[in-house]
């Protein structure tokens, strides 16, 4: 592999500790924490609180385990670049594509969440019918906005997600002041270990966006700020969300939890009345909307554009709108996939569809994270602790315990994700598609049609 280098970058190092911390905390505010949590509580009862704490610390271990690579090898391609260097192109492309394609697949499920929130205000027919209609409407609107070149400034989105976190903090504090009913916390494991275990992948989905903080190493004023932010942002979202969930479990009957409405909305109505439910539902809608705009449409369309330019994907994905300078074909294809997903939600039931796709995303991203954590172990072995300290500027605490715990946790989550044959079949299908794709790419490289050293 040769002597590993500390990557020199030309991006502006403009972010301090608090900006990076806010990105890490805000990234986990999405549809999962507001809507999918109801599924977790329904499965685990009060023990969902423990499941969300465990999942939070798992995410923290993963983030910290990738910290040295984030600072020492800051790349736009992040995981795909790190993994390719230390584990080869097969796993490098797998790591990058599971991350980006995972976002595309989630377009349908997050749209369903968005439609669910809208159906709370403006019902159309049955709950599932209204959910699907509103999901299609808003997903189409956001795709058109992306094609038109409408961009959400980073600072605006940061302010938005911080407002959402603020609402959750106010909610938790108000609930504690009003008082929680501890009798609703017993029995703590009403559905046994099985129900508790089923909640862990759900909780993992709620936190999984936080890993995006690892891509900010090239824009930190002080690389050590990223290392500290990895730890403190993790602790922040673990405390905030577990505290909010504690209030929910002490306010409503956990047996009423489902995907039909956010459990935060129900609890807020109990604490503040109808206006509280409306505020929490609006916050949840905004969370899903920002996740949909930036995650499922903007990010993958740009990744596919870059890959298409180099011949790693069909050239049509590199087509840019001459007026708006946006990758129009990629966005249209993402829209088609999203609409097909929304129609599938109508066929199979919105709740079933949402849970299945979210679970597949956990599988895909867990694989991507696991490969990145292993690459981080290789990176530490190649550089050695002294170079890590002196040249990278930050090193993992408790090494090698952190990456070992991260890998154990990832394997456990993957084990739990394959809870029925549908999940196995889904995994086999997309992994088979990837293998065919990779063999085609390898053939092109061998024929000299595309470069082998491209990094995304």
């Amino acid at each position: 592999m040769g002597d590993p280098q500390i990557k020199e970058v030309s991006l502006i190092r403009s972010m301090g500790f608090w900006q990076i911390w806010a990105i890490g905390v805000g990234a986990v505010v999405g549809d999962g924490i507001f809507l999918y949590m109801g599924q977790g509580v329904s499965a685990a009862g009060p023990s969902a609180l423990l499941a969300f704490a465990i999942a939070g610390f798992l995410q923290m271990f993963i983030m910290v385990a990738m910290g040295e690579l984030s600072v020492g090898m800051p790349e736009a391609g992040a995981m795909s670049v790190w993994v390719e260097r230390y584990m080869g192109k097969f796993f490098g492309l797998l790591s990058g594509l599971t991350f980006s394609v995972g976002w595309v697949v989630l377009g349908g499920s997050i749209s369903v969440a968005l439609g669910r929130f809208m159906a709370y205000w403006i019902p159309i027919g049955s709950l599932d019918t209204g959910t699907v209609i509103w999901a299609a409407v808003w997903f189409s609107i956001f795709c058109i906005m992306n094609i038109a070149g409408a961009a959400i400034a980073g600072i605006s989105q940061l302010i938005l997600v911080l407002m959402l976190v603020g609402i959750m903090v106010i909610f938790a504090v108000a609930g504690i002041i009003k008082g929680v009913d501890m009798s609703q916390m017993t029995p703590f494991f009403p559905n046994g270990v099985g129900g508790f275990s089923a909640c862990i992948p759900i909780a993992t989905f709620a936190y999984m966006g936080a890993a995006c903080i690892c891509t900010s190493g090239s824009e930190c004023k002080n690389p050590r700020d990223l290392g500290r932010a990895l730890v403190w942002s993790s602790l922040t979202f673990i405390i905030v969300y577990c505290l909010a969930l504690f209030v929910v479990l002490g306010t409503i009957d956990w047996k009423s939890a489902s995907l039909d409405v956010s459990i935060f909305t129900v609890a807020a109505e109990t604490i503040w009345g109808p206006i509280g439910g409306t505020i929490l539902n609006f916050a949840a809608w905004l969370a899903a909307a920002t996740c949909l705009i930036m995650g499922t449409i903007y990010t993958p369309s740009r990744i596919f554009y870059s890959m298409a330019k180099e011949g790693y994907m069909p050239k049509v994905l590199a087509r840019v709108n001459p007026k708006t300078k946006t990758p129009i074909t990629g966005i249209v294809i993402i829209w088609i996939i999203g609409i097909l997903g929304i129609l599938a939600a109508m066929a199979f039931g919105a709740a079933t569809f949402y849970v299945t796709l979210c679970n597949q995303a956990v599988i895909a991203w867990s694989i991507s994270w696991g490969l990145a954590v292993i690459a981080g172990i290789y990176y530490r072995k190649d550089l050695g602790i002294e170079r890590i300290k002196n040249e990278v500027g930050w090193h993992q605490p408790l090494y090698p315990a952190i990456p070992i715990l991260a890998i154990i946790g990832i394997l456990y989550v993957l084990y739990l994700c394959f809870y029925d044959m549908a999940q196995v079949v889904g995994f086999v299908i997309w992994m088979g598609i990837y293998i065919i794709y990779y063999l085609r790419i390898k053939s092109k490289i061998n024929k000299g049609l595309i470069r082998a050293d491209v990094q995304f």
Side-chain angles (χ1 to χ4, degrees):
M1 277 183 260
D3 183 48
Q5 301 295 315
I6 307 300
K7 182 74 174 181
E8 293 295 331
V9 295
S10 58
L11 296 178
I12 299 175
R13 293 187 175 275
S14 59
M15 294 195 296
F17 168 77
W18 288 109
Q19 289 170 292
I20 305 168
W21 168 86
I23 291 173
V25 175
V28 300
V29 179
D31 63 296
I33 202 71
F34 284 99
L35 189 62
Y36 201 18
M37 187 182 279
Q39 182 78 8
V41 171
S42 177
S47 65
L49 184 61
L50 179 59
F52 270 77
I54 290 173
F57 279 105
L58 168 61
Q59 184 71 52
M60 176 179 176
F61 295 152
I62 293 169
M63 289 164 64
V64 174
M66 293 191 293
E68 292 171 354
L69 280 169
S70 302
V71 178
M73 293 179 64
E75 295 278 2
M79 299 166 190
S80 62
V81 176
W82 307 334
V83 174
E84 181 176 339
R85 175 177 176 83
Y86 289 103
M87 302 178 69
K89 186 168 288 292
F90 177 87
F91 290 110
L93 281 174
L94 178 62
S95 180
L97 286 176
T98 48
F99 183 76
S100 56
V101 175
W103 274 118
V104 175
V105 171
L106 280 177
S109 63
I110 296 175
S111 296
V112 168
L114 201 63
R116 210 64 150 186
F117 298 134
M118 284 298 300
Y120 173 84
W121 293 310
I122 310 175
I124 302 176
S126 67
L127 180 62
D128 273 2
T129 300
T131 296
V132 169
I133 291 175
W134 281 118
V137 167
W138 281 108
F139 187 61
S140 299
I141 289 173
F142 291 144
C143 282
I144 292 171
M145 287 171 59
N146 270 271
I147 291 174
I152 300 178
I155 187 64
S156 298
Q157 187 167 5
L158 183 57
I159 291 173
L160 177 61
V161 294
L162 287 176
M163 288 172 59
L164 296 173
V165 173
I167 290 174
M168 294 194 69
V169 171
I170 293 171
F171 163 79
V173 172
I176 291 174
I177 291 174
K178 183 174 181 178
V180 297
D181 184 0
M182 294 302 296
S183 66
Q184 296 198 115
M185 301 287 185
T186 56
F188 194 67
F189 293 92
N191 295 328
V193 176
F196 167 73
S197 298
C199 184
I200 292 179
I202 293 172
T204 302
F205 174 79
Y207 289 119
M208 61 173 29
C212 72
I213 193 177
C214 293
T215 64
S216 62
S218 61
E219 295 172 276
C220 303
K221 293 178 182 177
N222 183 342
R224 291 179 176 84
D225 286 339
L226 174 59
R228 293 192 299 125
L230 285 167
V231 175
W232 287 105
S233 64
S234 300
L235 291 175
T236 301
F237 62 65
I238 291 170
I239 292 170
V240 169
Y241 295 142
C242 286
L243 189 61
L245 181 56
F246 171 75
V247 171
V248 168
L249 292 169
T251 303
I252 68 173
D253 181 359
W254 69 267
K255 298 184 186 67
S256 65
S258 70
L259 284 176
D260 290 343
V261 65
S262 167
I263 55 175
F264 287 105
T265 300
V266 177
E269 287 179 341
T270 303
I271 296 171
W272 291 310
I275 186 64
T278 299
I279 292 172
L280 261 293
N281 208 60
F282 180 63
W285 185 92
L286 288 173
T290 54
C291 185
L292 193 66
I293 294 170
M294 299 303 292
T296 68
I297 303 173
Y298 180 88
T299 300
S301 66
R302 271 60 180 181
I303 293 174
F304 298 157
Y305 164 78
S306 298
M307 296 183 76
K309 284 183 64 178
E310 299 294 343
Y312 277 71
M313 280 193 165
K315 287 291 186 182
V316 68
L317 291 172
R319 186 175 298 166
V320 174
N321 186 312
K323 293 183 178 180
T324 64
K325 306 300 182 183
T326 54
I328 183 170
T329 305
I331 295 173
V332 169
I333 290 174
I334 291 171
W335 176 80
I336 293 171
I337 294 172
I339 293 297
L340 288 175
I342 293 169
L343 293 176
M346 177 178 286
F348 299 108
T352 300
F353 171 80
Y354 180 75
V355 170
T356 299
L357 281 197
C358 289
N359 192 72
Q360 286 295 311
V362 172
I363 294 173
W365 285 354
S366 292
I367 291 172
S368 182
W369 294 337
L371 292 171
V373 171
I374 294 171
I377 294 173
Y378 280 118
Y379 186 68
R380 164 69 78 105
K381 182 179 178 181
D382 273 4
L383 262 70
I385 184 58
E386 292 305 317
R387 285 192 66 189
I388 292 286
K389 288 180 178 179
N390 296 330
E391 299 179 46
V392 174
W394 182 83
H395 66 282
Q396 294 181 46
L398 304 177
Y399 184 89
I402 293 294
I404 290 174
L405 288 171
I407 291 173
I408 291 174
I410 288 170
L411 291 175
Y412 181 55
V413 168
L414 286 172
Y415 165 74
L416 295 176
C417 282
F418 292 103
Y419 57 82
D420 63 20
M421 187 52 63
Q423 304 303 327
V424 176
V425 171
F427 168 75
V428 170
I429 290 174
W430 63 256
M431 181 56 77
I433 292 173
Y434 170 72
I435 291 173
I436 294 172
Y437 161 80
Y438 173 76
L439 291 175
R440 181 171 175 271
I441 292 300
K442 185 177 180 182
S443 175
K444 282 189 173 184
I445 292 174
N446 292 339
K447 294 177 181 178
L449 299 176
I450 58 176
R451 294 166 48 204
D453 60 345
V454 178
Q455 295 179 328
F456 306 105

